[in-house]
Amino acid sequence: MTPALLLLAAAAAPAPAVDPQAAILGTWHNPKNSVAVRTGHCGQSLCGWVIRASDKAKNDVASKGYPPLIGTALLRGYKANGKARWSGQIYVPDMGRAFGSTVTMVDADTLNVRGCLIGGFICKSQIWRRD
């Protein structure tokens, strides 16, 4: 086969499947850098687990009688909900509760993490940065 035909054959080959969640996979930290969360697959969903926490963050959770912060899934059951947007539940460790949430990729190194309670009437957002 000539080089031109090889090039043409390669161009016609189907592109490998790209995981739509791949861009969000990685390690992210909250605005105060008190917690680092590693995102990854959990079944067919996206989740995020605490891999690092400041002593203050760990003590805040422990003082309220909740399980240790390291290893806790903060992001739970997120499903793609549009381009660069996921919906799921965010667990707030020092409250011991999970709330409806969306995560939106602002750019390759920035997430807007938004959690809402009372049916979406009261919401709070944080900007998380990639480590």
Side-chain angles (χ1 to χ4, degrees), residues 15-92:
V18 175
D19 179 354
Q21 295 183 358
I24 196 171
L25 300 179
T27 302
W28 303 87
H29 61 87
N30 66 349
K32 294 181 180 179
N33 200 23
S34 60
V35 174
V37 174
R38 177 164 296 134
T39 54
H41 298 287
C42 52
Q44 297 296 313
S45 301
L46 175 79
C47 295
W49 300 270
V50 177
I51 60 166
R52 179 187 50 76
S54 69
D55 288 340
K56 181 181 181 329
K58 290 188 277 190
N59 291 336
D60 285 348
V61 171
S63 72
K64 294 179 178 159
Y66 296 116
L69 191 53
I70 304 298
T72 297
L74 292 190
L75 306 178
R76 299 175 174 183
Y78 283 77
K79 302 275 186 187
N81 182 15
K83 186 177 180 181
R85 182 181 163 108
W86 295 262
S87 296
Q89 297 239 312
I90 189 161
Y91 178 71
V92 180

Side-chain angles (χ1 to χ4, degrees), residues 104-121:
T104 305
M105 286 200 78
V106 177
D107 60 40
D109 295 320
T110 310
L111 294 179
N112 183 336
V113 180
R114 179 180 167 135
C116 298
L117 51 119
I118 310 176
F121 291 109

